[in-house]
Amino acid sequence: MVERPASAVKELVENAIDAGAKSVEIEIDDGGRAAIRVSDDGCGMARDDALLALERHATSKIHSADDLVGIATFGFRGEALPSIASVSALTLETSPADGAGTVVRVIGGAVTEVADGARRRGTTVSVARLFHNVPARLKFLRSARSEWRAVADAVTSLALAQRGLHVTLTQDGVRAMTLPGATSLRSRVGAIWGGAYADALVDVDDVAGTVYVTGLVERPSDVGTRTRRAVLVINGRAVRDAGLVRAAEAAYRSTIPAGLRPSIFLDISVSAESVDVNVHPAKAEVRFRDRWVVERAVENAVRRALGTPASSHVVGTWGSNGTPSVADERVLLRSNAHTLGPLDPTPEPETRETETVPPLVQLRRTYLMYEHDEGVVLIDQHSAHERVLYEQFMNRQPTVQRLLFPLTLHLGPAEGDAFEENRELFEKLGFEIEGFGGHTLLVRSVPMPHERFDAERCLRETLDALTGDRMPGTATRHERLAATVACKAAVKAGDTLSAAEMRALYLALGRTTLPAHDVHGRATIVRLSWDELERRFGRR
Ligand SMILES: Nc1ncnc2c1ncn2[C@@H]1O[C@H](COP(=O)(O)OP(=O)(O)O)[C@@H](O)[C@H]1O
Ligand SMILES: [Mg+2]
């Protein structure tokens, strides 16, 4: 169970937390191979309890049978302290109140000394010469540096889970981390990795039934540019759970290139009865009564976060500490999705959103620009339209045009085969196509994304991409085809858009679930803050 210094540190810090500590000091020498010391200001132990605690299966944490259901504390097996003591030279100094206390020394599991020792309320456990009597374990310890890294990782996870705790970590006498008790995850992350790192993360806050998901996740445009970190906290404890990490990552689908992994810091609350955290001896894996429900809640929560303005690319700072102002919600992004139309220059009668669209300017026949309270917002017209079409295709609500004169396409055998294989998917995208003998297709209806749309060219290029396996790397074939057709069908850089088309694109983008990201993992929106401009012009 105690495999390396990091696992001993984790057990000792969890005991401190269970003891109600407000502050924990952790000192590590030689990566924990020479010494580990964990001091807390928790409830401490009376002498009898201290001696009992060093015996196997002594735990003070089960008071009733109910405690076995939905364990709120970190351990209830009463094994950590004795098993660490059995493979080290351990000193336990503890006191339930300031003043008189107890010192117990144990070597290789045998108590060698019990003495008085004055100290303030709390407990200090010093572990020296870990595994000195277990050569097999000792042999498998890595270098001091990698053991130290594992310790630092474990402490970081614990600190993120227990944000109120004051934590210090010292390596060979040098302070490596000082974390004052924090009130929010953002400030904790900022204390660990810096304010700029923390400010660039997007808030997650969503509830689905009894599953409550909060936390911080990386902006898609930042993914891959910084160290990837994933921390999951369930009901207050850091866990590793590949399934939940996958669920969170699935939310990024179509916003980042395949293969990149986002940083995620998620706090998940579920009712205590629906989770069993004590199944794995290292207590890092979780068993859920209904795993699927939790995974779906996580994916939806993250996806919703990625649909907020805060997730779009920003140059400078936008609003206070990088979070969006209310104005963002008002101006660009709207959540009420109704049926999306094409970039139709004739405004639909039910469109009563004229006031919510700011004056838009087209730049370089490529970008739409508008002014915002916080700065200038630039939209890439192609990327944005691609996102709009992709979601239309995925929701099976493309605008379809029936051709007056069906289009005839003569295909080579490879394209013909690619078409046959994907026939149904093409139909979902709004193509109505009949085989016409051999590899000749008769196209009766096509999606109608905008006036300049060249359906024949789009179809040919898509079939070409299908045979050449040059599809964007998202999960399903439907998604890949939708992404490809969206890319071919979207307005291009270089297309002049009318004012009405710009407005339609703006509104349609605002109705997508992920307006800030195109389907290749690029930004659709770049926000350049006044703040940043003023800095560059030397105005501040
Ligand atoms: N830092 C501490 N402060 C107060 N009590 C402690 C501390 N560490 C351990 N204990 C006591 O020792 C017992 C045994 O600890 P441990 O072996 O980790 O088992 P468990 O935490 O699973 O109960 C705990 O139940 C607790 O009563
Ligand atoms: Mg314990």
Side-chain angles (χ1 to χ4, degrees):
M1 179 176 65
V2 178
E3 303 126 6
R4 59 193 305 194
S7 37
V9 169
K10 180 167 181 282
E11 293 289 346
L12 296 175
V13 174
E14 287 183 344
N15 279 350
I17 294 165
D18 284 347
K22 299 263 179 296
S23 171
V24 179
E25 286 172 36
I26 304 145
E27 291 160 87
I28 303 296
D29 289 339
D30 193 33
R33 302 185 310 177
I36 295 167
R37 182 153 65 243
V38 176
S39 301
D40 68 57
D41 61 354
C43 64
M45 285 173 272
R47 181 161 302 181
D48 290 354
D49 293 332
L51 288 168
L52 194 65
L54 290 161
E55 281 169 30
R56 223 162 257 275
H57 304 300
T59 180
S60 60
K61 292 168 194 169
I62 298 175
H63 302 291
S64 72
D66 280 351
D67 288 352
L68 287 167
V69 181
I71 295 299
T73 66
F74 287 106
F76 70 101
R77 291 153 311 135
E79 275 179 14
L81 219 42
S83 47
I84 296 169
S86 68
V87 294
S88 67
L90 181 144
T91 306
L92 175 67
E93 300 162 68
T94 186
S95 178
D98 290 351
T102 303
V103 180
V104 185
R105 287 184 215 287
V106 190
I107 296 176
V111 175
T112 58
E113 189 187 342
V114 181
D116 294 336
R119 60 155 293 143
R120 61 183 171 79
R121 176 181 180 267
T123 302
T124 300
V125 179
S126 311
V127 179
R129 298 189 284 130
L130 189 65
F131 302 140
H132 71 278
N133 55 352
V134 194
R137 288 271 176 87
L138 197 58
K139 209 174 75 192
F140 280 106
L141 283 186
R142 311 247 208 100
S143 66
R145 175 174 283 167
S146 44
E147 294 303 338
W148 158 253
R149 278 208 200 125
V151 169
D153 254 13
V155 172
T156 303
S157 294
L158 286 163
L160 287 168
Q162 299 289 324
R163 296 192 282 275
L165 196 66
H166 182 282
V167 181
T168 64
L169 177 60
T170 303
Q171 178 192 24
D172 297 324
V174 180
R175 181 61 60 82
M177 192 155 74
T178 305
L179 302 177
T183 47
S184 71
L185 178 60
R186 199 183 285 277
S187 60
R188 193 64 145 191
V189 168
I192 299 171
W193 292 296
Y197 180 83
D199 284 348
L201 299 169
V202 184
D203 273 308
V204 176
D205 189 351
D206 203 28
V207 61
T210 57
V211 186
Y212 187 34
V213 184
T214 62
L216 297 168
V217 295
E218 198 166 29
R219 275 187 197 138
S221 54
D222 290 333
V223 174
T225 65
R226 315 182 294 182
T227 308
R228 186 235 174 207
R229 305 182 169 107
V231 178
L232 287 182
V233 175
I234 297 177
N235 292 0
R237 65 189 302 161
V239 298
R240 263 187 293 277
D241 189 294
L244 290 180
V245 171
R246 263 198 306 279
E249 288 176 349
Y252 280 78
R253 219 163 54 212
S254 90
T255 73
I256 59 174
L260 286 186
R261 307 190 71 191
S263 289
I264 53 167
F265 304 91
L266 293 178
D267 227 327
I268 302 158
S269 302
V270 295
S271 61
E273 307 86 64
S274 64
V275 53
D276 179 2
V277 278
N278 256 313
V279 281
H280 190 266
K283 294 185 289 182
E285 270 168 23
V286 188
R287 194 158 66 193
F288 294 104
R289 198 151 290 170
D290 203 344
R291 164 167 285 277
W292 184 74
V293 168
V294 183
E295 287 184 355
R296 210 179 45 162
V298 166
E299 178 173 348
N300 287 341
V302 173
R303 186 153 270 251
R304 195 158 298 177
L306 299 182
T308 64
S311 86
S312 69
H313 191 64
V314 64
V315 181
T317 49
W318 198 271
S320 56
N321 69 46
T323 54
S325 64
V326 184
D328 283 287
E329 307 283 355
R330 194 190 72 230
V331 179
L332 178 61
L333 303 163
R334 313 167 48 76
S335 55
N336 58 325
H338 18 114
T339 317
L340 305 169
L343 297 185
D344 189 349
T346 47
E348 293 164 46
E350 85 249 36
T351 308
R352 275 183 225 91
E353 299 166 294
T354 329
E355 317 93 279
T356 67
V357 182
L360 295 160
V361 179
Q362 192 183 27
L363 304 177
R364 230 185 164 199
R365 288 186 288 160
T366 300
Y367 307 108
L368 311 189
M369 183 190 76
Y370 67 91
E371 182 184 335
H372 182 275
D373 294 352
E374 302 276 346
V376 179
V377 182
L378 294 155
I379 300 174
D380 181 303
Q381 65 189 38
H382 172 69
S383 294
H385 199 204
E386 206 174 79
R387 165 57 62 189
V388 168
L389 293 177
Y390 174 75
E391 294 200 6
Q392 287 181 0
F393 290 147
M394 289 311 294
N395 298 332
R396 300 176 197 194
Q397 44 182 217
T399 314
V400 175
Q401 187 189 41
R402 203 168 166 79
L403 298 173
L404 218 47
F405 305 102
L407 223 140
T408 314
L409 281 187
H410 302 286
L411 303 176
E415 286 86 16
D417 189 63
F419 170 73
E420 281 308 327
E421 195 190 350
N422 294 284
R423 176 190 282 272
E424 273 173 42
L425 295 179
F426 275 107
E427 273 163 23
K428 285 181 192 166
L429 306 190
F431 289 98
E432 192 192 312
I433 304 178
E434 285 168 30
F436 198 61
H439 291 304
T440 302
L441 304 182
L442 206 59
V443 184
R444 296 202 176 276
S445 300
V446 297
M448 178 49 185
H450 57 91
E451 286 189 320
R452 302 166 215 70
F453 179 59
D454 182 344
E456 178 173 353
R457 183 164 169 201
C458 170
L459 207 50
R460 283 196 179 281
E461 286 179 356
T462 303
L463 288 168
D464 188 48
L466 273 174
T467 55
D469 204 22
R470 286 185 304 278
M471 314 281 272
T474 42
T476 67
R477 211 140 50 95
H478 187 197
E479 287 174 333
R480 289 212 303 280
L481 193 67
T484 305
V485 176
C487 178
K488 308 292 177 202
V491 294
K492 306 264 183 293
D495 288 346
T496 305
L497 302 189
S498 68
E501 282 180 319
M502 288 193 269
R503 232 193 6 255
L505 179 56
Y506 174 96
L507 288 169
L509 182 64
R511 289 178 202 132
T512 61
T513 56
L514 293 166
H517 315 285
D518 80 1
V519 297
H520 303 284
R522 292 180 303 230
T524 58
I525 300 169
V526 168
R527 298 176 292 161
L528 174 59
S529 66
W530 299 137
D531 206 57
E532 181 67 15
L533 279 175
E534 281 167 14
R535 222 173 48 75
R536 293 190 182 239
F537 284 115
R539 287 176 175 274
R540 52 165 74 177

